[in-house]
Amino acid sequence: MTRRRAVILFLLFGALPSLLQAQTHAAVACGLDGWNGRFVPGGFVEASGWAVDEGARMPVTKMEVLLDSSISGDVNVRGWRPDVGRAFGEPAFDWSAWRATVSLARVLPGLHAAEVFAYSRAGERILCARDSFEVRPFFSPSFGMASVWVTLLWRTIVFLLWLSLAGWGILRIAARWIPVALAPAAGLALFAVGIELGSVAGVRPLGAAGAASFVSLLFLAMSTRRNPLRVGKPRPATVGLLFVGIAFLSFAALPMASHGPGVVVSANTDAAWECSIADSIARFGWSVPQDVQGFLQIVPSRWRHNHVRGGSPYLLALLSQLYGCRAHEIHPVLGLALGCSILFAVGALASRALRPPGRLLLLPTALVALNSVLLVNLYGQHLALLAAVALYLLFLFHLVVLTRSGTLRALFPIALAIAAEWTLYPEAIALWVATALAAIGAAAWMRVRALRVVAGLSLACLLAAAVNPVGLTRSVQFTFAQRRAKALAT
């Protein structure tokens, strides 16, 4: 009897630690959602998931992510996961999300093992997930940085020349004296309006931009009848402005070329969404076939459902068709072209302010080329913001012309800029309104007929609505969608 009791006690106390461990393990529930980031040596990846301590009815206090059995990176263990709270019926689990950032510094290419551990409130370390991912070589043997840089430059220059040719005809028919430096911004506005109208007619971006260019060339031919083209020696200020633009493109393209022939390097997810929408438009047109699945179907459908502005996807789809490649390959091309358009527009505005324009003309352009705000938006791949700035400078230049001289020749460029802004970035319209009110006040102060400026701006708005009624409608719908959808209200 004594021996039997001893065996029972031995079995009971021997199994007690494992029973306690099993209960502790059951008290912690956790999960790994997945990995994303730059899977190259020197890059970083992010992991996300959730973890709760069911015994304490609270989220866990600590997480660890191990790469190849070594701790690498930081983990933030507090985040919003209401779905977890609903699944467990515990409101305290609403803040059970975690997000880890894992550095790939000094990590060699190849397959690497990853482990995720959670710590219970009692301090016990529990395995949540085992996974693996592949780190790829930073440079592919199929390309060299120099060839990518050259390709990026010539594609950007060709697109800028097309923008300039398309915009020149529109500007030249509107006024006698217009600096050529404004032509890329005017071409950008013309393409935005043309593609928006083409979306209703079922014409893809390349066809719509081609039709808009044809109309602009007709205007250019009409303008030569009253104001013949004169080819002469370019002014030193024009040569200097062109030099600043080429230097900007050459140096700004270097970091982009280092990432390969096509990559979305921004942490901003909008760039990836824009590429998906552009690829869908370039491949399928304005309606996606029902048998198409994945991002090319899901992202455009949500984009249209929320009435999101046309914006960058229109221009990316145009370039994708023009060069016959995916949108992510020409994403840097559009960014560089927009950045250079901003520089040229600043030079045009400076030439209006400095009469006669001299060497000081290059100073504001060079300062903008080195401006951190421009570079951050360029490398952050905020294409819509860059486009908005180029259109705003086009609007501002002709607003100054209207305010100073009172001439109505500036109305059509102003109307074109407003119409394009409705398509590319309607969120900035408040800035345009404030600028117009300041111009009206300046006109009254300079003893110019303020009512003439008000009448001119009102007429320009009516003309913009007539030119781009689709963009106006969608911008209004997008504004109201922002008020309803928290994900869009930025």
Side-chain angles (χ1 to χ4, degrees), residues 408-460:
L408 297 182
R409 290 176 179 171
L411 290 188
F412 186 73
I414 291 177
L416 182 63
I418 295 173
E421 183 71 2
W422 287 336
T423 290
L424 293 181
Y425 203 72
E427 299 96 311
I429 286 296
L431 173 63
W432 293 47
V433 173
T435 304
L437 293 176
I440 294 171
W445 179 71
M446 291 187 298
R447 298 180 181 179
V448 179
R449 292 183 180 179
L451 290 179
R452 187 179 180 88
V453 178
V454 173
L457 288 173
S458 301
L459 186 58

Side-chain angles (χ1 to χ4, degrees), residues 193-212:
V193 174
I195 296 173
E196 186 76 270
L197 296 177
S199 67
V200 178
V203 180
R204 296 192 185 186
L206 185 59

Side-chain angles (χ1 to χ4, degrees), residues 196 307-311 384 388 391 418-433 471-479 482:
E196 186 76 270
H307 305 290
V308 180
R309 49 173 163 73
L391 294 177
I418 295 173
E421 183 71 2
W422 287 336
T423 290
L424 293 181
Y425 203 72
E427 299 96 311
I429 286 296
L431 173 63
W432 293 47
V433 173
L472 174 60
T473 303
R474 289 183 176 175
S475 66
V476 172
Q477 291 175 332
F478 178 52
T479 302
Q482 282 184 310

Side-chain angles (χ1 to χ4, degrees), residues 5 8 65 125 159 314 360 369 378 389 395 411 471 490:
R5 290 179 179 177
I8 292 174
V65 176
R125 186 171 181 257
F159 183 56
Y314 283 176
L360 288 178
L378 177 63
V389 173
F395 167 77
L411 290 188
T490 58

Side-chain angles (χ1 to χ4, degrees), residues 75-350:
V75 185
N76 182 3
V77 293
R78 186 168 176 82
W80 182 241
R81 285 296 297 264
D83 56 321
V84 178
R86 289 193 299 268
F88 284 89
E90 178 58 59
F93 290 173
D94 288 348
W95 293 94
S96 60
W98 59 267
R99 181 177 296 274
T101 302
V102 179
S103 172
L104 299 182
R106 293 183 294 275
V107 175
L108 298 177
L111 193 64
H112 294 269
E115 296 175 306
V116 180
F117 291 91
Y119 282 80
S120 66
R121 294 271 170 168
E124 186 172 0
R125 186 171 181 257
I126 300 162
L127 178 65
C128 273
R130 280 195 178 96
D131 203 354
S132 62
F133 55 79
E134 183 181 2
V135 176
R136 299 184 178 182
F138 189 77
F139 286 104
S140 171
S142 61
F143 73 90
M145 180 177 172
S147 63
V148 175
W149 179 75
V150 171
T151 302
L152 192 56
L153 279 185
W154 78 256
R155 284 179 171 177
T156 304
I157 292 173
V158 167
F159 183 56
L160 276 172
L161 290 175
W162 188 17
L163 285 176
S164 301
L165 182 62
W168 191 23
I170 292 294
L171 293 180
R172 208 167 189 273
I173 198 68
R176 293 181 180 177
W177 184 84
I178 288 294
V180 182
L182 277 177
L188 173 68
L190 181 65
F191 284 174
V193 174
I195 296 173
E196 186 76 270
L197 296 177
S199 67
V200 178
V203 180
R204 296 192 185 186
L206 185 59
S213 301
F214 179 74
V215 172
S216 183
L217 289 177
L218 287 180
F219 286 163
L220 181 60
M222 293 168 55
S223 69
T224 57
R225 298 182 61 182
R226 66 174 185 180
N227 186 17
L229 296 175
R230 295 181 178 87
V231 180
K233 184 179 180 181
R235 297 178 180 180
T238 304
V239 176
L241 185 62
L242 186 62
F243 172 79
V244 172
I246 293 176
F248 170 78
L249 290 178
S250 301
F251 287 103
L254 287 173
M256 297 179 176
S258 66
H259 289 282
V263 64
V264 177
V265 298
S266 172
N268 178 19
T269 55
D270 289 351
W273 280 61
E274 289 168 350
C275 288
S276 298
I277 297 168
D279 284 333
S280 178
I281 295 173
R283 180 178 298 184
F284 307 115
W286 300 104
S287 59
V288 183
Q290 295 182 353
D291 58 340
V292 175
Q293 302 295 327
F295 269 68
L296 297 188
Q297 189 275 333
I298 297 173
V299 178
S301 64
R302 299 305 302 170
W303 173 64
R304 294 185 177 94
H305 175 75
N306 291 315
H307 305 290
V308 180
R309 49 173 163 73
S312 308
Y314 283 176
L315 302 173
L316 287 172
L318 167 63
L319 287 174
S320 181
Q321 286 186 273
L322 177 64
Y323 293 116
C325 59
R326 296 287 298 275
H328 66 277
E329 292 189 50
I330 45 82
H331 198 285
V333 172
L334 181 56
L336 290 171
L338 293 176
C340 200
S341 299
I342 291 172
L343 296 184
F344 290 157
V346 169
L349 195 60

Side-chain angles (χ1 to χ4, degrees), residues 348-368:
L349 195 60
S351 68
R352 186 70 187 179
L354 301 174
R355 287 295 189 91
R359 295 180 179 179
L360 288 178
L361 175 64
L362 300 181
L363 182 59
T365 307
L367 290 177
V368 172

Side-chain angles (χ1 to χ4, degrees), residues 26-116:
V28 173
C30 50
L32 170 67
D33 294 336
W35 302 86
N36 64 82
R38 297 172 55 198
F39 295 86
V40 294
F44 67 92
V45 295
E46 291 183 340
S48 60
W50 56 274
V52 297
D53 189 333
E54 293 186 272
R57 310 302 295 173
M58 294 289 288
V60 300
T61 57
K62 182 180 178 182
M63 299 285 297
E64 281 183 353
V65 176
L66 275 64
L67 182 62
D68 296 332
S69 302
S70 299
I71 297 178
S72 178
D74 301 319
V75 185
N76 182 3
V77 293
R78 186 168 176 82
W80 182 241
R81 285 296 297 264
D83 56 321
V84 178
R86 289 193 299 268
F88 284 89
E90 178 58 59
F93 290 173
D94 288 348
W95 293 94
S96 60
W98 59 267
R99 181 177 296 274
T101 302
V102 179
S103 172
L104 299 182
R106 293 183 294 275
V107 175
L108 298 177
L111 193 64
H112 294 269
E115 296 175 306
V116 180

